[in-house]
């Protein structure tokens, strides 16, 4: 199944007209609300001293017999004035509903829309409100058939004159933001891709390395879990540039993706071979002191 | 809270008398059935051409304010005739109940016990039966208060004249066994530690490397998730030796564990640095063909 026209339109930052948008919203609800029971994906946001990285896979499934591709990374930027990137995971009908609402407010130039809100905090609050609205609209009907309306969003961006920020908006519409202590936030199928972030990433990591780390984190997840799959979408945003200059889309079987995976596997195997065999003669000393290791 | 005497006794293969065992069973039920709501751990079994590796952490928690240490790797071997290793994850009162039952049958020399069953398949069936028995006994009372009785077990071993085998026994008492296609089985908090297994392990991996891989898999999980923690218990069993000659216990802060972790982090970082920066000029070609990459 190919992506719906609405998803595609939103992704490239173009706006279809309101009629189409509302039509798509209706179609999405009709066709997807009953199917997105096991919707899973993996999205990742990283904030560093030098900017932001946002990455997402594109797999949506409602059980193993209904696997399809939907882009989960949306660009709502207004180049030169603000950069706004959104990633979504969870019930597809809800997250598509949120994106449609955001787009509609932009199109009809609502008093409050993504291009006139004055801080990233307020943007997160506004998107959280849209999430609540869609859930209120659908939740009773979904719950009636035991379908989860849960979803979550990552919001990264920068408004002119302010610092870049990265938020995780929960299914309840509340949110947290990343700090220099924990410079990444994940949604969806987060566990497989976390070890590499924990081991290689800090707030001071240079932006190119952070982007590489994001790609390897998603690739590790794809390797271990079929609910996460290509195309991978990746954006690297340089602080204060107020424009997206680096973006990448890697489809299944892309030779570049295959090459990176092969290189990473070889490097990992070499790293593994560097570790000496276990010293079975090692005896636990009797010291009761437990030294915490990070 | 220190481990109960029953857990300790079982671990080192000694048998306390029946009275103590039954007493412990009662105490465990009393003290833990209401607490083991979020019990989590990570255990791993690997089977290769040359033998078996079994590994487990020791952390038990019933929420972040009740974290304690219980060994999850049990040795029921009869050296020279059979090797039987068991790892447990899930509701601690249920898994301790199963272990107590197995021990009791050995002690009173039941017609069917772990030392006289004639195949690994029958051993798995027998242990699955014990699991069902304990769950039947407790389940209604646990469910009444919304407590999960779910748990799972890994069984690895060899009986003289037969091949080594590795089983995963589900909470329902049914089970699967590992094959050369998928030479490892995991229970508990399995996701963080899976990427390294997927990337470095096969049925033909030599046994020392498989043991190292198990240690790194558990260490990766500990690094990323606080519900998994030391001491780590690790056993390597060489096919046809019918005796456990290699075992390791690594407590929190053990200098050897810290050294391995540091080495692995350095090697991983080197591997990461070997990967070139992302080629942002890469353009997706228009080929509709999707080459599956493994």
């Amino acid at each position: 199944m190919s992506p719906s026209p609405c998803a595609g339109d939103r992704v490239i930052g173009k706006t279809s007209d309101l009629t189409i948008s509302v039509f798509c919203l209706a179609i999405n609800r009709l066709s997807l609300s009953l199917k997105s029971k096991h919707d899973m994906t993996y999205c990742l946001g990283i904030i560093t001293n030098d900017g932001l990285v946002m990455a997402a896979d594109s797999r949506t499934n409602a059980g193993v017999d209904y696997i399809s591709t939907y882009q989960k990374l949306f660009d709502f930027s207004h180049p030169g004035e603000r950069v706004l990137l959104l990633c979504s995971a969870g019930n597809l009908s809800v997250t598509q509903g949120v994106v449609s609402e955001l787009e509609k407010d932009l199109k009809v130039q609502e008093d409050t829309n993504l291009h006139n809100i004055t801080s990233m905090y307020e943007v997160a609050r506004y998107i959280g409100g849209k999430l609540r609205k869609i859930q209120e609209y659908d939740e009773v009907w979904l719950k009636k058939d035991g379908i989860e309306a849960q979803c979550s969003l990552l919001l990264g961006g920068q408004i002119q004159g302010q610092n870049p920020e990265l938020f995780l908006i929960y299914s309840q519409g509340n949110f947290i933001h990343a700090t220099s202590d924990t410079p990444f936030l994940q949604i969806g199928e987060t566990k497989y891709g976390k070890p590499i972030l924990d081991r290689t990433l800090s707030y001071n990591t240079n932006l190119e390395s952070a982007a590489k780390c994001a790609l390897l984190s998603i690739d590790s997840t794809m390797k271990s879990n079929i609910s996460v799959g290509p195309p991978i979408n990746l954006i690297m945003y340089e602080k204060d540039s107020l424009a997206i200059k680096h973006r990448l889309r890697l489809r299944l079987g892309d030779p570049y993706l295959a090459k990176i995976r092969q290189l990473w596997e070889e490097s990992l195997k070499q790293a593994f071979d560097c570790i000496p065999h276990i010293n079975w003669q090692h005896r636990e000393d009797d010291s009761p002191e437990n030294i915490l290791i990070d």
Side-chain angles (χ1 to χ4, degrees), chain A:
Chain A
M1 189 176 166
S2 61
S4 75
C6 0
D9 284 349
R10 279 176 216 123
V11 164
I12 53 170
K14 306 287 184 206
T15 49
S16 53
D17 69 48
L18 181 59
T19 322
I20 293 181
S21 186
V22 170
F23 172 75
C24 287
L25 196 64
I27 291 289
N28 286 337
R29 286 207 180 112
L30 191 67
S31 66
L32 291 163
S33 67
L34 288 170
K35 295 174 188 160
S36 37
K37 212 168 175 178
H38 311 281
D39 196 42
M40 196 44 106
T41 193
Y42 175 40
C43 304
L44 167 66
I46 300 174
I47 188 163
T48 76
N49 214 9
D50 307 324
L52 288 163
V53 174
M54 305 281 284
D57 82 315
S58 306
R59 185 154 292 172
T60 291
N61 82 86
V64 289
D65 55 349
Y66 189 77
I67 291 178
S68 48
T69 300
Y70 288 88
Q71 191 143 346
K72 315 286 180 67
L73 175 53
F74 304 93
D75 179 4
F76 287 98
S77 303
H78 186 206
E81 197 275 326
R82 66 182 59 201
V83 159
L84 293 176
L85 299 166
L86 199 66
C87 293
S88 63
N91 186 302
L92 187 65
S93 75
V94 175
T95 58
Q96 286 196 346
V98 171
V99 171
S100 295
E101 286 278 336
L102 300 176
E103 206 169 55
K104 188 193 73 180
D105 284 358
L106 274 175
K107 219 170 300 179
V108 302
Q109 295 283 307
E110 273 287 341
D111 289 348
T112 303
N113 68 54
L114 282 178
H115 287 176
N116 65 17
I117 299 173
T118 54
S119 75
M120 287 299 295
Y121 174 85
E122 291 296 331
V123 171
R125 178 69 69 203
Y126 161 75
I127 296 174
K130 294 295 184 190
L131 190 50
R132 288 172 182 173
K133 181 180 167 184
I134 299 289
Q135 283 185 329
E136 265 181 5
Y137 194 82
D138 288 335
E139 205 164 26
V140 174
W141 286 87
L142 297 182
K143 282 207 169 151
K144 216 162 59 80
D145 286 331
I147 295 171
E148 284 284 336
Q150 296 282 309
C151 62
S152 48
L153 301 162
L154 292 179
L155 165 69
Q158 182 177 21
I159 294 175
Q160 198 172 27
Q162 300 172 35
N163 281 323
E165 285 188 89
L166 175 63
F167 294 86
L168 191 168
I169 304 170
Y170 294 107
S171 202
Q172 294 72 26
N174 60 329
F175 50 87
I176 59 170
H177 66 98
T179 67
S180 53
D181 287 334
T182 305
F184 62 88
L185 291 169
Q186 305 166 285
I187 54 175
E189 185 59 78
T190 61
K191 294 183 180 183
Y192 302 102
K194 190 165 181 279
I196 188 172
L197 302 172
D198 284 333
R199 306 262 191 186
T200 61
L201 195 70
S202 81
Y203 187 70
N204 297 316
T205 302
N206 70 67
L207 200 56
E208 285 283 4
S209 293
K212 192 171 76 175
C213 187
L215 184 56
L216 294 176
S217 175
I218 290 205
D219 187 58
S220 293
T221 308
M222 289 196 316
K223 171 90 180 176
S224 293
N225 188 299
I226 61 153
S227 82
V228 175
I232 296 173
N233 287 286
L234 185 69
I235 286 180
M236 179 173 88
Y237 168 68
E238 286 165 87
K239 186 176 173 175
D240 299 332
S241 67
L242 296 171
I244 303 296
K245 296 172 185 164
H246 298 93
R247 69 172 81 215
L248 192 69
R249 179 180 155 92
L250 295 173
R251 66 168 177 81
L252 181 71
D254 189 306
Y256 181 61
L257 182 58
K259 189 183 131 203
I260 287 177
R261 175 174 283 196
Q262 193 191 347
L263 254 174
W264 179 233
E265 293 199 348
E266 282 165 11
S267 301
L268 256 187
K269 275 179 194 152
Q270 273 174 24
F272 182 76
D273 290 339
C274 287
I275 309 290
H277 282 333
I278 288 172
N279 171 16
W280 298 102
Q281 269 61 55
H282 169 78
R283 285 283 163 263
E284 190 179 4
D285 63 40
D286 296 328
S287 157
E289 192 185 359
N290 284 338
I291 306 154
L292 269 170
I293 48 174
D294 178 30

